[in-house]
Amino acid sequence: MTVIFSGIQPTGRKHLGNLIGAIEQYVAGQERADPAIYCVVDLHAVTVDYDPAQLRERVYDTTALLMAAGLDPQRCVLFRQSDVREHTELSWLLSSVTELGRLNRMHQFRDKSAAQRALVSAGLLFYPVLQAADVLAYRADEVPVGEDQREHLELMRDVARRFNARFGEGLLVVPEHRIPTVGARIMDLQEPTRKMSTTGGSVEGTVYVLDDPKAIEKKLKRAVTDSEDPFTIRRDPVAKPGVTNLLDITAASRGIDPQTVVAELDGARGYGDLKLAAAEAIVALLAPVRERYAELRADEAALEAALEQGAAKARALAAPVLTDVRAAMGVGPKMP
Ligand code: ATP
Ligand code: MG
């Protein structure tokens, strides 16, 4: 059976890109994988400026959101990263086969360090090594992520290969990415050439999963399109990034092909009709998630209990892998 692993940050409010690019795939993964393992990565969140009290709250927010979107702790392993110490131990061990120059060249590191006003932490540089450990600790076969994680996935594949070459073939599994065909890169509505982001973007350009219908309609009405004359509704990511994004969002929200949306908008009178179609599709997708979220988030004790149970299952899976890794690396006492 396929093992799936993915992680999501508890920073900020989760947005439409997270839902379509990642969370929907997590939900689908519950049917295909055994086990499907999903982790709220609080240790990744401490690599940029953050508030300690808020971080704990955000972990509950994100857990409730994942469950509202369809993750079922009975059918998957859902846990908080810092509860399973194997992640941090493995990340240190993997650092021995990770190339520093490559960490330095990572786009996310460059972007996020440029955005830091004060300290650029070593943790920000080291982030992809911990991310590699997250996945490799479970010998996961598949990692569902958005397009922005391609580079990190390549690094973790490289780390797994190097580790196996150095310490023993077959010790770690080289994982495959699983990137959706539509919606792998949802763009900011105000700046359609950059991805919708938890930490980087503008509030007006970001549709949050918990936005109410009014807020969604307002943001969509103001979405940036283009001034092509006469207006044309077609996919062209380079020449028409705004329109392409709205087509992709509409298609992904409804689970249909962008070309079908183009065909439906054949008689449109302007970009306003496309914006309206996008808003309708998003509202229909998000409304039920928002309702379930309110119920789930209200019961923190239940969320904590779910996370604890998830962590126990995760530990049981990761501990034997760490035993193998330690033995192969000559770390710790001789094995009997
Ligand atoms: P940040 O911008 O601070 O990195 P984020 O919005 O990328 O935050 P993460 O928790 O890092 O949030 O990402 C969770 C998942 O959502 C990842 O798999 C990522 O690839 C995916 N994802 C993030 N942004 C988008 C987007 N705009 N479109 C599609 N998928 C996305
Ligand atoms: Mg990210």
Side-chain angles (χ1 to χ4, degrees):
M1 261 313 241
T2 308
V3 177
I4 291 182
F5 180 97
S6 197
I8 186 160
Q9 292 199 71
T11 38
R13 290 178 282 166
K14 289 297 148 190
H15 53 77
L16 190 64
N18 300 136
L19 184 69
I20 292 173
I23 299 172
E24 288 197 335
Q25 298 189 82
Y26 299 179
V27 176
Q30 293 183 125
E31 308 298 331
R32 280 192 307 113
D34 189 20
I37 309 166
Y38 304 118
C39 178
V40 181
V41 294
D42 56 345
L43 296 177
H44 283 287
V46 306
T47 57
V48 292
D49 277 337
Y50 80 103
D51 172 33
Q54 213 179 49
L55 176 58
R56 267 202 196 98
E57 298 301 317
R58 299 290 201 198
V59 170
Y60 294 133
D61 295 349
T62 305
T63 305
L65 191 78
L66 291 172
M67 288 167 63
L71 287 194
D72 174 359
Q74 304 306 321
R75 289 195 298 153
C76 68
V77 180
L78 176 61
F79 69 105
R80 172 173 44 214
Q81 185 184 31
S82 61
D83 287 346
V84 181
R85 309 283 164 101
E86 279 77 1
H87 292 232
T88 38
E89 182 182 350
L90 184 58
S91 96
W92 179 255
L93 297 174
L94 292 178
S95 74
S96 65
V97 292
T98 308
E99 189 193 339
L100 175 62
R102 194 147 169 200
L103 291 180
N104 233 323
R105 291 191 299 271
M106 291 277 142
H107 284 103
Q108 181 170 300
F109 172 65
R110 303 213 143 213
D111 295 348
K112 289 198 176 180
S113 53
Q116 280 296 301
R117 260 161 281 142
L119 177 82
V120 175
S121 71
L124 197 56
L125 179 72
F126 214 73
Y127 186 115
V129 189
L130 179 58
Q131 192 180 10
D134 293 339
V135 175
L136 302 181
Y138 300 91
R139 296 195 172 118
D141 304 294
E142 261 183 35
V143 187
V145 283
E147 171 68 42
D148 61 312
Q149 291 303 311
R150 196 180 279 279
E151 201 181 23
H152 288 174
L153 258 298
E154 275 311 321
L155 178 92
M156 99 179 41
R157 287 163 57 80
D158 187 57
V159 166
R161 281 194 212 101
R162 273 173 201 262
F163 184 90
N164 287 346
R166 170 82 178 80
F167 298 111
E169 285 310 325
L171 273 168
L172 297 176
V173 169
V174 181
E176 304 286 334
H177 346 166
R178 196 177 174 95
I179 296 176
T181 43
V182 183
R185 194 172 174 80
I186 301 293
M187 309 308 269
D188 188 285
L189 298 180
Q190 289 298 317
E191 263 182 89
T193 49
R194 61 181 277 179
K195 86 167 185 85
M196 204 176 269
S197 160
T198 312
T199 49
S202 62
V203 174
E204 307 79 57
T206 310
V207 178
Y208 298 102
V209 177
L210 301 177
D211 274 347
D212 62 35
K214 271 222 166 72
I216 294 170
E217 277 154 25
K218 198 165 150 196
K219 286 175 182 177
L220 267 292
K221 257 191 197 138
R222 293 183 183 169
V224 168
T225 48
D226 56 57
S227 49
E228 193 173 353
D229 189 22
F231 82 94
T232 39
I233 297 178
R234 63 184 157 87
R235 270 197 102 258
D236 184 340
V238 178
K240 299 171 73 68
V243 167
T244 302
N245 191 36
L246 294 177
L247 285 169
D248 286 358
I249 287 175
T250 310
S253 298
R254 291 170 54 194
I256 59 176
D257 189 84
Q259 286 318 318
T260 310
V261 182
V262 172
E264 281 176 6
L265 287 166
D266 197 24
R269 286 149 303 171
Y271 290 139
D273 289 347
L274 170 60
K275 294 177 178 184
L276 205 66
E280 263 174 30
I282 298 169
V283 168
L285 176 72
L286 299 186
V289 181
R290 196 165 132 256
E291 277 165 32
R292 281 196 294 273
Y293 175 84
E295 281 169 39
L296 290 159
R297 183 63 182 88
D299 192 349
E300 245 172 48
L303 293 171
E304 187 55 49
L307 288 173
E308 273 172 31
Q309 280 169 24
K313 290 196 266 181
R315 260 181 241 118
L317 294 165
V321 178
L322 263 290
T323 302
D324 291 351
V325 167
R326 290 167 62 105
M329 292 184 77
V331 169
K334 247 186 201 160
M335 294 310 248

